[in-house]
Each structure stands twice: as C-alpha cells, then as structure tokens.
Amino acid sequence: GLVAVLVLLVRAVAREVEQHRARALRARAVPVEDVYYPGEVHAFHAFVFRAQAQKCWADTFAFLDRHCPPDVRRLTPASISGDRSTSA
C-alpha cells in the first residue's frame, strides 16, 4: 500500500512544487504533512541547537508517532544516534 509522506521545506520555490505534489498525493488518499520552515537553509535540522531545527525534529517524531507501527515508534533520537546512556 501507499505510505504516509512528510515533506520538510525551507525554500519558497520548492514549497510551491511540494504543495502541488502534496495535493496530488492527498487526492490519492495518501496521508501527507508538509511543514514549511521559512528562512532556513538546506540541512538546517543538523544544527540541533537552533529553535527551528528542534521544531523540525519534534515535527518529524510526531509524524512518525502518528503514521508508523508501534515497533518503529519506540525509536528515539538517542537510539538512532547510538547513545545508549538514555535509551531503554
């Protein structure tokens, strides 16, 4: 079946293209969330000390919580990075 799609956008030009793509996917009953982070640069989410990057990660994990099976939802930023000091 079709999977849910999360689109993270930082540039206005890409936003128009991705909004068109999101509408097309929604028309086919695909769950789509498109989030716009104005003024950011490509890969801004790597700068985790920035507020917009933190919001991006929160948005990403919330999306995964809503659309992924329970075994995938157990992943945390610490478990993905390999930091075992805070993971269960």
Side-chain angles (χ1 to χ4, degrees), residues 65-80:
D65 283 344
R66 287 189 295 278
H67 298 286
C68 290
D71 58 327
V72 174
R73 282 187 256 153
R74 286 186 297 224
L75 294 175
T76 65
S79 70
I80 291 169

Side-chain angles (χ1 to χ4, degrees), residues 7-15 18 35-45 52 56:
V7 179
L8 307 172
L9 302 166
V10 296
R11 299 178 69 194
V13 173
R15 186 178 188 193
E18 292 304 329
V35 185
Y36 183 51
Y37 302 92
E40 290 297 344
V41 297
H42 180 77
F44 75 97
H45 61 282
Q52 287 277 70
C56 177

Side-chain angles (χ1 to χ4, degrees), residues 13-84:
V13 173
R15 186 178 188 193
E16 292 176 18
V17 171
E18 292 304 329
Q19 285 176 331
H20 176 73
R21 187 183 328 234
R23 283 191 299 275
L25 289 166
R26 286 184 187 108
R28 289 160 181 79
V30 175
V32 176
E33 296 179 28
D34 47 337
V35 185
Y36 183 51
Y37 302 92
E40 290 297 344
V41 297
H42 180 77
F44 75 97
H45 61 282
F47 301 103
V48 295
F49 54 88
R50 295 176 56 131
Q52 287 277 70
Q54 292 169 14
K55 180 182 181 321
C56 177
W57 282 111
D59 293 343
T60 300
F61 281 103
F63 175 87
L64 293 173
D65 283 344
R66 287 189 295 278
H67 298 286
C68 290
D71 58 327
V72 174
R73 282 187 256 153
R74 286 186 297 224
L75 294 175
T76 65
S79 70
I80 291 169
S81 71
D83 178 3
R84 302 293 180 220

